[in-house]
Amino acid sequence: MGLFNLFRKKNMSNEIQEYLAKGAVVLDVRTLAEWNEGHSEGAKHIVLATIPTNVDEIKSWNKPVIAVCRSGGRSGQAAQFLQSHGVDVINGGPWQNVDQYLVK
């Protein structure tokens, strides 16, 4: 996460809400152990290291994507990679950032 992303943090909640309103898929890129400790209901789980082999699956969703992880580092890497492959994706940071806006 770069220095300028720190200044974007306050606007992240608006961006997350906008993406959710567009029907975004929450993509959790944490390990299986982390996922099993807790995750957003309805989120898709694809471990960061396997994102390159799952690009076609992610594209087939035909929806915007919000990548999440534990702190925002891995989801940032996933978002950057997916953007370079034409996916409409944002880094949602920690999964709890997105979870708080999901209807339960």
Side-chain angles (χ1 to χ4, degrees):
M1 189 184 267
L3 178 62
F4 292 107
N5 286 335
L6 294 174
F7 298 110
R8 286 189 69 219
K9 229 16 172 176
K10 63 183 174 190
N11 298 328
M12 237 11 245
S13 63
N14 290 341
E15 196 169 19
I16 289 169
Q17 289 176 29
E18 287 171 13
Y19 266 66
L20 289 173
K22 294 191 293 185
V25 174
V26 178
L27 173 61
D28 194 319
V29 300
R30 297 176 298 150
T31 65
L32 181 58
E34 291 172 304
W35 168 265
N36 289 336
E37 289 173 5
H39 55 271
S40 297
E41 188 175 326
K44 304 275 188 189
H45 181 235
I46 300 177
V47 177
L48 177 63
T50 66
I51 294 288
T53 58
N54 287 288
V55 172
D56 289 337
E57 177 189 343
I58 295 166
K59 285 182 168 185
S60 76
W61 299 340
N62 291 318
K63 294 186 175 193
V65 175
I66 303 172
V68 298
C69 64
R70 183 179 297 244
S71 66
R74 288 173 287 176
S75 55
Q77 291 174 21
Q80 209 169 27
F81 178 84
L82 292 169
Q83 282 173 348
S84 74
H85 285 80
V87 177
D88 180 10
V89 60
I90 60 168
N91 178 6
W95 69 272
Q96 295 93 336
N97 281 357
V98 176
D99 194 60
Q100 66 183 324
Y101 298 110
L102 297 175
V103 177
K104 296 179 182 162

